[in-house]
């Protein structure tokens, strides 16, 4: 999974793990760097909403993959 997420985003695996462990992008951004371009890509991938909250899709994906939420 690490390779897959890293192919989607720079540092993708760390970002997805940080999001899984956080309430929203702002909180995850305290753990890993999330620049504007990456944030936009997270929105395109439907991982976060326009307001930066985790989507139901991301929550279920993390649950399925066994990534701590």
């Amino acid at each position: 999974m690490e390779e897959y997420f890293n192919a989607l985003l720079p540092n993708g695996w760390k970002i997805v793990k940080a999001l899984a462990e956080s309430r929203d992008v702002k909180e995850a951004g305290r753990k890993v760097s999330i620049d504007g371009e990456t944030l936009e890509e997270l929105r395109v991938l439907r991982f976060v909403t326009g307001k930066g909250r985790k989507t139901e899709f991301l929550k279920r994906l993390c649950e399925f993959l066994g990534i701590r939420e």
Side-chain angles (χ1 to χ4, degrees):
M1 290 281 63
E2 186 172 344
E3 287 181 36
Y4 174 74
F5 286 113
N6 286 339
L8 290 175
L9 303 161
N11 235 359
W13 179 243
K14 288 182 181 179
I15 291 170
V16 169
K17 283 180 32 179
L19 278 170
E21 298 169 353
S22 303
R23 185 179 65 239
D24 55 24
V25 170
K26 186 176 180 180
E27 187 178 321
R30 293 184 202 124
K31 300 174 186 178
V32 295
S33 176
I34 301 175
D35 62 20
E37 188 176 322
T38 301
L39 178 56
E40 184 57 33
E41 190 61 29
L42 288 168
R43 289 180 180 135
V44 168
L45 292 168
R46 306 280 192 248
F47 287 178
V48 297
T49 67
K51 293 185 178 185
R53 295 185 193 121
K54 294 188 295 189
T55 62
E56 190 64 30
F57 170 75
L58 180 65
K59 291 176 187 178
R60 290 178 185 260
L61 178 62
C62 290
E63 182 181 327
F64 175 77
L65 296 174
I67 301 172
R68 190 177 136 242
E69 232 188 300

